[in-house]
């Protein structure tokens, strides 16, 4: 299986690329039409959720910079 990469975009979506599947709350798979790259909505404004339709432009701010999470609790 190829590596999956998720990129958190500034002021926008989550870009998912590689070998992946996306399922709904019931475990049903979204048909991705052969795509190996999709963008997932983070702002909640998309009319095509869970996929991004660029509705966030001018309405969502988040400076995407990586950081370390604290250690996982045992």
């Amino acid at each position: 299986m190829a590596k999956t990469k998720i990129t958190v975009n500034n002021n926008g979506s989550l870009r998912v690329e590689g070998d992946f599947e996306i399922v709904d709350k019931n475990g049903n798979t979204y048909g991705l039409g052969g795509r190996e790259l999709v963008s997932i909505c983070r702002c909640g404004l998309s009319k095509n959720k869970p996929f991004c339709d660029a509705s966030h432009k001018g309405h969502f701010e988040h400076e995407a910079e990586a950081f370390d999470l604290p250690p996982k609790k045992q």
Side-chain angles (χ1 to χ4, degrees), residues 3-21:
K3 183 176 179 180
T4 301
K5 178 180 176 183
I6 300 174
T7 303
V8 181
N9 291 316
N10 281 343
N11 305 323
S13 63
L14 297 173
R15 177 184 169 122
V16 183
E17 53 191 311
D19 186 18
F20 60 90
E21 69 177 357

Side-chain angles (χ1 to χ4, degrees), residues 4-60:
T4 301
K5 178 180 176 183
I6 300 174
T7 303
V8 181
N9 291 316
N10 281 343
N11 305 323
S13 63
L14 297 173
R15 177 184 169 122
V16 183
E17 53 191 311
D19 186 18
F20 60 90
E21 69 177 357
I22 300 175
V23 299
D24 67 12
K25 65 179 181 168
N26 299 313
N28 299 310
T29 303
Y30 285 88
L32 301 178
R35 291 173 179 79
E36 294 180 355
L37 186 155
V38 297
S39 292
I40 303 296
C41 176
R42 288 198 300 149
C43 72
L45 298 174
S46 176
K47 292 175 180 49
N48 195 32
K49 289 184 206 78
F51 304 102
C52 178
D53 68 1
S55 292
H56 62 271
K57 299 233 186 249
H59 302 285
F60 181 75

